[in-house]
Amino acid sequence: MVSKKNVQVSDYLRDKLIFLHTNFKNSNELFKGVNEVAKQNGYVTEDFLPKIIKRESTFPTGLQLEKCGVAIPHTDADTIRKEFVSVIVNDSPIRFKRMDDPTQEVDAKLVFVLGLNRPHAQLEMLQALMSIIQDASLVDKLEHANTNADIYDLLGN
């Protein structure tokens, strides 16, 4: 396979790890929901849940955008068996501490949980996601997606 310069988020989407119209109350509940499905389907190890919760409390991942907030939690590569990007669109915002100022919080309806296990993949994926979330119109469309196909279409460019 020819190595690609640009990482495509859509290449890492997994149907079972796209959660639309969820009602998670907080980040830990969201992590437990993602972990349950990811573990059942062989994507993560037993250590994924405790490590992602611990990492989020130490290195928060909330980002305040112009019109809304998003979060991009991730954890250690050794907890990932098969790579994925989980997309969660919660019906009501979930509070995350801000990446740039952990004393502040951001309300995020759109969350990308990264499950990557190659050394440079995390940075490349973060860069790809940053270009996506800087497009306010695209973020709005993602927040209003009703099907997995919508998510694939929106993240496929």
Side-chain angles (χ1 to χ4, degrees), residues 6-151:
N6 293 334
V7 170
Q8 292 290 335
V9 176
S10 56
D11 292 344
Y12 293 84
L13 296 177
R14 309 292 177 247
D15 278 340
K16 291 181 182 342
L17 295 173
I18 295 174
F19 300 85
L20 303 177
H21 299 294
T22 53
N23 290 297
F24 296 118
K25 304 287 181 254
N26 56 50
S27 60
N28 283 358
E29 201 176 283
L30 180 145
F31 295 148
K32 287 175 187 167
V34 170
N35 176 67
E36 191 175 306
V37 175
K39 207 163 70 178
Q40 284 170 359
N41 290 279
Y43 287 101
V44 298
T45 68
E46 293 291 324
D47 292 333
F48 177 79
L49 183 60
K51 283 192 170 183
I52 198 166
I53 289 172
K54 184 175 194 305
R55 190 176 198 293
E56 186 67 28
S57 69
T58 312
F59 301 104
T61 60
L63 292 165
Q64 184 62 54
L65 307 177
E66 193 176 322
K67 296 181 179 174
C68 62
V70 300
I72 309 176
H74 47 278
T75 191
D76 305 334
D78 65 0
T79 67
I80 308 302
R81 289 198 171 112
K82 294 190 288 190
E83 294 189 306
F84 64 89
V85 170
S86 180
V87 178
I88 301 93
V89 181
N90 213 52
D91 283 338
S92 54
I94 296 172
R95 292 240 152 141
F96 281 85
K97 291 196 181 303
R98 284 176 57 160
M99 189 185 294
D100 60 338
D101 181 358
T103 64
Q104 300 291 312
E105 292 183 328
V106 59
D107 289 330
K109 288 173 75 173
L110 179 62
V111 179
F112 296 94
V113 176
L114 307 186
L116 304 171
N117 59 18
R118 288 171 299 123
H120 299 291
Q122 212 112 305
L123 180 59
E124 292 172 6
M125 182 60 69
L126 286 170
Q127 289 170 335
L129 286 170
M130 292 309 281
S131 67
I132 288 166
I133 64 175
Q134 287 172 355
D135 181 339
S137 163
L138 181 54
V139 169
D140 186 62
K141 288 175 187 166
L142 287 164
E143 286 184 345
H144 291 92
N146 287 310
T147 67
N148 285 10
D150 292 343
I151 297 294

